Amino acid sequence: MNKRTELSTETVWAGEKDYRAHGASQVPVVNSVAYEYGDLDHWYDVAKGRAYGHIYGRNTNPTLASFEDKICRLEGAEAATSFSTGMAAISNTMYTFLRPGDRVVSIKDTYGGTNRIFSDFLPHMNIEVTLCETGDHEALEEEIRKSCKVVHLETPTNPTLKITDLERIAKVAKEADALLVVDNTFATPILQNPLESGADLVIHSATKFLGGHADALGGTLCGAKHLVDQVFHYREINGATMDPNGAYLMIRGMKTLDLRVQKQCDNAEKVAEYLSSHPAVSKVFYPGLADHPNHDIAKRQMRRYGGVLSFALAGGMEAVKKVLPRLEFANRAANLGAVETTVGPANTTSHVESTPEELDALGIPESLVRYSAGIESFEDLKNDLENALAILEES
Ligand SMILES: *Cc1c(COP(=O)(O)O)cnc(C)c1O
C-alpha cells in the first residue's frame, strides 16, 4: 500500500475479511471455548505457535482477533490485544512491566480507577508512584529524568479535560528509557494517534467511544509487537479476556466510529460555547475553547477537540440537583462516549472513589458536571439545556 487508507474507511473495513466464514459478509461471533483438532500434529503446531489457529478461549478467539485487527489499524500500530474492560487493559499493562522497586510517573487527573491502581495497588507491591500536577510539563520532565520504568498519561483527562503535550513527554521518556503508555479513550483514534507522537503503547476503554452504544465492556492495547506480546501473555494467563459477544458489539459499533465522533465533536463544540455564555454556568472545561489553558497543544495534537466537556454551575450542587433531572435528552449515568448524550456529576462518575478532600486537591469543583455529547441534533440539546437551566431563574 502506498498511502494509509483514511480512518473512515478503516473503521468499516479493517479486520473484517480475514475472519468471515461461510460466505457471510459479517464477522461471526465464535462462541466456542475450545477448538477441535483431528490431526494431533497440527494441534501441536498450533499450540507451539508454529501454525495459525486457536486452542482455548482464554488465550485467543477469532471474533476478538477481528476486533483487535480493527483497532490496530486505526491506531497505526504493529500489534494489538484486547481485555474484558478498559481497567483490565490498564492494570494488566502496569503489572506486566512493573516490578518491586520500579518507579512509575503519571498525572493526578487520571481516570478514577486508574488513580486507584496508582494510589492503592502498586504501592502495596513496593512500586513507587509519583503523580504530577496535570498539565505541568516541567514537573513531569523532572520526575521522569530522575529515573522511571513507565510513564502513564491520559489526554484529554476525565473530567476536567486537561491536555498533556505527548511529543514533548515522549522525548523525555525515551531519553530516560521509560515506556510511555497513553490512555486515548477520550480522543479516540479518530482525533489523536499517540503512537505517532512517540508513545510506546496506547490504551482504550472500548466501553466508551469505540463500542459507542453503552452495551458492552472492553479494553484494548496497541503498540510494538514485542511489547503487546508481553501484556497479551499476562492477560492470557491472568484471564481478563473479553467475551466474543462483546467483541462483536465493538466491531459493529466501530464501523460508525468516525461518523459518531465527528457529530459528537460538532455537538460538544457548540454546547461548550452555548454554556460559556450562560449566566448560570460559572465555568466550562473544553479543550476547544480559546480560554482553555492548553488550547494550543490540543490544536496541534488533536484533529478535533472531542465529544466530552464539563461545566460547573454557579449555584453549586443544589443547582445541579435541580437541573440534571429536567434534561429530557440525556442519560444521567456513569458513562460517556455513547450515542445518547450522557451527563453526571464528577463525584458520582469518574471520581466516585475520591473523597471530598481528594476532589478539592484535584481542583474538581463540587458541582462539576460531565457532559458527553451524543449524536442528537444540537438544536434539541441546546433547547433541552436551556429549558433545564431555566428552573434556576424560577426560584
Ligand atoms: C472508563 C474509562 C476507563 C476504564 O474503562 P472500563 O472499560 O470502565 O474499565 C479508563 N480510562 C478512561 C479515560 C475512561 O474513561
Side-chain angles (χ1 to χ4, degrees):
M1 231 178 347
N2 350 346
K3 178 180 174 296
R4 192 172 157 193
T5 317
E6 294 286 338
L7 288 173
S8 54
T9 308
E10 296 281 17
T11 59
V12 177
W13 288 105
E16 297 274 327
K17 286 189 178 167
D18 289 345
Y19 300 95
R20 292 177 183 177
H22 312 295
S25 64
Q26 303 302 316
V27 169
V29 183
V30 180
N31 276 323
S32 185
V33 164
Y35 298 77
E36 210 253 333
Y37 289 92
D39 178 344
L40 297 194
D41 287 333
H42 182 206
W43 185 358
Y44 189 71
D45 283 344
V46 173
K48 286 287 166 195
R50 291 196 293 257
Y52 175 82
H54 302 276
I55 302 278
Y56 187 67
R58 175 161 33 73
N59 312 106
T60 62
N61 168 286
T63 314
L64 266 60
S66 167
F67 166 55
E68 290 161 357
D69 278 12
K70 208 185 257 306
I71 186 64
C72 188
R73 287 290 286 265
L74 289 174
E75 284 294 8
E78 192 184 3
T81 190
S82 58
F83 304 84
S84 51
T85 64
M87 280 315 304
I90 295 166
S91 60
N92 287 13
T93 302
M94 294 302 146
Y95 296 142
T96 298
F97 294 113
L98 293 167
R99 296 284 175 273
D102 282 344
R103 183 157 175 273
V104 55
V105 174
S106 186
I107 49 176
K108 286 188 181 170
D109 294 42
T110 48
Y111 175 74
T114 310
N115 197 271
R116 280 293 140 208
I117 302 250
F118 289 144
S119 51
D120 289 351
F121 295 101
L122 294 180
H124 286 158
M125 299 167 72
N126 194 23
I127 290 159
E128 191 189 335
V129 180
T130 302
L131 303 181
C132 298
E133 213 57 60
T134 312
D136 186 344
H137 292 86
E138 286 78 17
L140 266 174
E141 288 172 332
E142 195 184 315
E143 292 299 335
I144 293 167
R145 285 197 182 109
K146 282 183 193 163
S147 101
C148 87
K149 187 84 184 291
V150 173
V151 180
H152 179 90
L153 295 177
E154 199 181 309
T155 178
T157 55
N158 191 357
T160 49
L161 289 304
K162 290 183 189 161
I163 302 287
T164 300
D165 188 330
L166 292 177
E167 264 181 40
R168 179 170 168 180
I169 300 305
K171 214 174 278 168
V172 185
K174 186 153 272 147
E175 286 164 13
D177 214 11
L179 279 181
L180 175 58
V181 181
V182 177
D183 181 336
N184 203 28
T185 300
F186 266 48
T188 82
I190 302 299
L191 305 179
Q192 174 174 283
N193 298 115
L195 297 176
E196 286 174 8
S197 303
D200 296 293
L201 292 163
V202 181
I203 285 173
H204 287 277
S205 166
T207 314
K208 313 293 170 53
F209 287 95
L210 297 189
H213 294 71
D215 55 5
L217 292 159
T220 62
L221 178 77
C222 299
K225 188 169 185 309
H226 73 280
L227 296 174
V228 172
D229 279 354
Q230 292 176 59
V231 187
F232 164 74
H233 184 58
Y234 185 96
R235 191 273 278 157
E236 71 170 338
I237 300 304
N238 285 272
T241 308
M242 197 178 196
D243 176 74
N245 299 286
Y248 177 77
L249 291 172
M250 295 299 170
I251 293 166
R252 188 167 73 166
M254 282 167 76
K255 293 188 193 195
T256 56
L257 182 66
D258 184 60
L259 283 177
R260 286 186 282 108
V261 168
Q262 300 297 349
K263 183 69 192 274
Q264 285 161 326
C265 287
D266 289 346
N267 283 341
E269 283 162 16
K270 291 180 199 160
V271 166
E273 229 157 78
Y274 166 73
L275 290 174
S276 296
S277 59
H278 197 288
V281 177
S282 56
K283 176 106 187 103
V284 178
F285 299 86
Y286 187 62
L289 294 173
D291 72 354
H292 183 284
N294 283 326
H295 173 67
D296 290 347
I297 301 172
K299 195 170 173 173
R300 187 163 16 93
Q301 172 165 292
M302 303 175 73
R303 294 182 194 97
R304 293 185 74 181
Y305 303 103
V308 183
L309 58 117
S310 59
F311 61 92
L313 292 179
M317 208 53 207
E318 282 310 305
V320 171
K321 283 182 191 166
K322 283 185 196 159
V323 170
L324 292 198
R326 284 172 59 101
L327 289 171
E328 187 180 353
F329 302 120
N331 282 326
R332 284 142 292 256
N335 187 32
L336 61 96
V339 288
E340 300 95 359
T341 292
T342 309
V343 298
N347 63 4
T348 63
T349 55
S350 59
H351 286 69
V352 67
E353 314 267 3
S354 309
T355 63
E357 294 73 35
E358 285 170 329
L359 284 177
D360 198 46
L362 289 170
I364 298 175
E366 187 216 3
S367 67
L368 191 75
V369 175
R370 185 174 69 201
Y371 187 100
S372 172
I375 61 168
E376 304 91 340
S377 143
F378 167 68
E379 282 305 310
D380 290 328
L381 295 180
K382 188 191 84 175
N383 291 340
D384 205 19
L385 282 165
E386 198 161 87
N387 196 32
L389 287 164
I391 193 164
L392 299 175
E393 286 153 35
E394 284 163 21
S395 42

